[in-house]
Amino acid sequence: MSVELMAVGEALRAESIGTSVRIQGWVRTKRTSKAGVTFLEVNDGSSLQNLQAVVPETLANYEDLVLRASTGASVNLEGEVVASPATEQVTELRVLCLDVVGDAPDYPLAKKRHSFEYLRTIAHLRPRTNTFGAMARVRNEVSRAIHAYFQDNGYLYVQTPIITGSDAEGAGQMFQVTSLDLERPPLHEGRIDFSEDLFGRATHLTVSGQLEAEIMATALTRVYTFGPTFRAENSNTARHLAEFWMVEPEISFCDLTMLADVAEDFLKSICDSVLRNCPEDMQFFNDRIERTVLSTLQHIIESDFVRLSYTEAIELLRASGRMFEFPVAWGADLQAEHERFLTEEHFKRPVILTDYPASIKAFYMRLNDDGKTVAALDVLVPRIGEIIGGSQREERLDVLERRLGNQGLDPESYWWYLDLRRYGTVPHAGFGLGLERVVQFITGMQNIRDVIPFPRTPRNVEF
Ligand code: 4AD
Ligand code: MG
């Protein structure tokens, strides 16, 4: 008789009835009945639902094995998939052979419910919970959908560096990277001499792959990057990480309107993929985490996003008569409360805000004819606020040089970026989507620390 190694997710299906299988996974719960059988709920991460393994007391070493096969233990099971008499599941495993691979005495997750705060302190075990298993599968599906969208639409996946010599956002929120001995750094005229550093100059972890993506796009037309991004901002919010993943498409011969079309189409395709490919996990998030996620995703796919200029949004917020904690004034950045009012209360759908004041946006954004605003775009969604930030890029050399100067940045260190405007410049545009913000939006999870396996936030870098 041949025994097939099978994932739990497959053994749960009716088509597997009658097959002899081997199942490998971890015990979630154990229950011994008076009738002399033990039920093990086994999970291997392939599905939300566990496989019920029925261990008969006729098994050799039954007492000892069943004692050791406690919650958290890893097991190797052989047996036959049979139709389950219970209503909660289609199939179950009639066990012929049980092997405890790794015992788990005093397992910290033995209790049923734990707070997300507590689970963050045991991040090495939390993937074994329903919520974090489901999160990992949805996050995987979002990543797959991102690649699929761009690959299907003629974009090249390009890799941009993690160590950089320039501040892509010009906002100075960078982590320094150095090989110098910080206890005894080489000094020159009282200051640290970075010419002795490994790269012969000061370097940092990237805050965005955009500038390098622009290099690639001005040769290959449509590209995207997808990689880790670092921001040394000391903000302890439910929406910020010091290390997160960002997807950045960059498109040549593209203006702001075309970019907004891409952003909308792209977000819809991610939501659609998750709904189609993760129905069980999404039902779980809807039942247990946030009871609106399914209807919200469906609504997003079906409705047109609102498009509105920053100036119109300011007027609208002013006219709302609402008392906001932060005042609404032209020239100030929108706060989360303003973004939420627009998406959750006023329009009740995603909003693409465009044409922000130049003074609050990065140097690379294209200056509009009014001389006051730039061709920027933020996509705002209910519950999260900003999920995408992007712009048309300044392709005019003289304007770009002026903008760098105005923002106190040294044009010398952006020489290659300026060269792209000297040699065959084109209108081009791109945006960045935060992977964790999308996963947060899709799953309804409250805190961004719970949608990345190993969150990095101020004073938190365990695991
Ligand atoms: O708006 P941001 O700062 O835009 C850029 O970095 C551009 N260079 C992107 C581009 O045009 N190529 O960041 C883009 C997105 C945000 O909308 C947000 O989703 C996410 O990245 N993001 C963060 N996610 C988690 N933690 C943080 N600290 C984040 N900062 C930005
Ligand atoms: Mg932004």
Side-chain angles (χ1 to χ4, degrees):
M1 190 174 66
S2 75
V3 178
E4 187 192 339
L5 179 62
M6 191 178 271
V8 164
E10 196 181 340
L12 289 168
R13 290 201 279 270
E15 301 86 82
S16 300
I17 290 172
T19 49
S20 292
V21 298
R22 175 185 304 160
I23 299 285
Q24 300 175 322
W26 291 264
V27 176
R28 284 288 179 83
T29 60
K30 176 177 72 175
R31 181 168 55 86
T32 298
S33 85
K34 293 193 190 71
V37 287
T38 293
F39 299 98
L40 300 178
E41 295 281 332
V42 178
N43 195 287
D44 64 359
S46 59
S47 79
L48 182 71
Q49 200 186 332
N50 304 320
L51 177 66
Q52 171 161 290
V54 187
V55 188
E57 72 181 332
T58 49
L59 213 67
N61 282 334
Y62 173 81
E63 295 289 335
D64 175 51
L65 284 173
V66 154
L67 187 71
R68 290 174 54 209
S70 56
T71 301
S74 51
V75 290
N76 194 349
L77 299 158
E78 280 183 33
E80 192 188 348
V81 179
V82 297
S84 175
T87 49
E88 308 89 76
Q89 67 241 351
V90 178
T91 68
E92 61 186 35
L93 185 73
R94 185 181 294 153
V95 176
L96 300 170
C97 181
L98 161 62
D99 178 17
V100 177
V101 180
D103 297 74
D106 305 319
Y107 186 57
L109 275 174
K111 223 180 71 193
K112 267 227 137 145
R113 284 248 175 180
H114 297 280
S115 72
F116 291 139
E117 287 78 10
Y118 172 67
L119 290 174
R120 276 176 224 144
T121 69
I122 50 165
H124 58 307
L125 298 174
R126 68 178 184 168
R128 300 188 193 183
T129 63
N130 285 339
T131 307
F132 288 88
M135 192 276 284
R137 286 184 295 273
V138 168
R139 194 176 155 106
N140 172 70
E141 177 58 25
V142 171
S143 305
R144 200 199 59 73
I146 286 167
H147 281 294
Y149 179 83
F150 290 123
Q151 293 294 329
D152 292 348
N153 286 288
Y155 292 72
L156 286 186
Y157 175 34
V158 299
Q159 289 77 29
T160 50
I162 287 172
I163 301 175
T164 97
S166 54
D167 183 350
E169 292 300 305
Q173 297 177 322
M174 309 216 290
F175 287 100
Q176 187 128 22
V177 175
T178 183
S179 63
L180 295 177
D181 178 356
L182 291 180
E183 303 285 340
R184 255 160 298 151
L187 298 175
H188 179 72
E189 291 173 358
R191 308 189 63 177
I192 295 178
D193 183 7
F194 285 106
S195 71
E196 293 202 22
D197 208 340
L198 186 88
F199 297 104
R201 56 182 290 184
T203 49
H204 299 87
L205 292 178
T206 187
V207 293
S208 160
Q210 179 195 320
L211 304 193
E212 289 89 355
E214 284 186 55
I215 295 180
M216 302 307 276
T218 50
L220 303 161
T221 308
R222 268 188 296 277
V223 301
Y224 70 104
T225 72
F226 188 2
T229 308
F230 308 87
R231 304 240 169 133
E233 55 186 327
N234 198 358
S235 50
N236 261 303
T237 79
R239 301 185 312 151
H240 288 89
L241 292 164
E243 176 181 303
F244 61 99
W245 283 67
M246 187 156 45
V247 191
E248 296 181 273
E250 191 68 35
I251 314 165
S252 282
F253 304 101
C254 179
D255 64 12
L256 195 69
T257 308
M258 285 170 63
L259 186 72
D261 292 342
V262 173
E264 179 168 345
D265 194 38
F266 173 53
L267 259 188
K268 286 179 171 170
S269 93
I270 295 174
C271 295
D272 184 57
S273 290
V274 172
L275 280 183
R276 272 189 291 118
N277 298 326
C278 301
E280 186 190 32
D281 292 321
M282 285 309 301
Q283 189 63 53
F284 170 82
F285 284 116
N286 201 76
D287 293 343
R288 306 292 284 272
I289 303 294
E290 164 62 56
R291 57 181 178 72
T292 60
V293 288
L294 283 176
S295 58
T296 305
L297 290 197
Q298 200 58 49
H299 182 56
I300 290 233
I301 295 168
E302 288 158 8
S303 63
D304 290 337
F305 292 10
V306 176
R307 299 194 188 186
L308 194 75
S309 74
Y310 165 91
T311 303
E312 289 167 325
I314 293 292
E315 283 162 10
L316 201 153
L317 288 165
R318 280 249 186 81
S320 72
R322 178 68 61 100
M323 287 299 292
F324 292 107
E325 189 187 334
F326 292 89
V328 179
W330 201 97
D333 216 350
L334 292 187
Q335 300 295 325
E337 54 174 345
H338 308 136
E339 298 177 344
R340 295 187 66 157
F341 174 81
L342 293 173
T343 56
E344 291 171 20
E345 295 187 48
H346 190 81
F347 293 112
K348 296 190 178 12
R349 53 197 164 119
V351 176
I352 305 185
L353 273 192
T354 60
D355 305 296
Y356 284 73
S359 54
I360 56 168
K361 288 291 186 183
F363 66 90
Y364 51 72
M365 299 192 177
R366 192 180 194 279
L367 193 64
N368 287 327
D369 291 343
D370 62 12
K372 290 194 312 197
T373 59
V374 287
L377 145 177
D378 271 9
V379 181
L380 315 177
V381 294
R383 277 191 281 105
I384 306 295
E386 177 190 343
I387 199 166
I388 284 179
S391 76
Q392 187 170 339
R393 317 308 189 189
E394 186 53 77
E395 85 283 13
R396 298 161 297 187
L397 180 63
D398 54 330
V399 184
L400 184 56
E401 282 176 328
R402 242 187 296 129
R403 289 269 285 149
L404 279 167
N406 287 349
Q407 301 214 1
L409 298 166
D410 178 16
E412 287 275 292
S413 56
Y414 293 89
W415 67 272
W416 47 268
Y417 189 68
L418 292 165
D419 259 7
L420 301 178
R421 280 72 184 164
R422 285 193 181 94
Y423 309 122
T425 193
V426 285
H428 62 290
F431 62 74
L433 167 79
L435 176 65
E436 289 74 21
R437 296 256 177 106
V438 198
V439 177
Q440 222 187 329
F441 173 63
I442 288 177
T443 59
M445 294 292 282
Q446 291 274 335
N447 197 306
I448 199 164
R449 293 170 174 88
D450 299 327
V451 294
I452 184 167
F454 310 106
R456 269 82 181 97
T457 50
R459 311 197 68 78
N460 173 28
V461 72
E462 194 72 45
F463 312 103

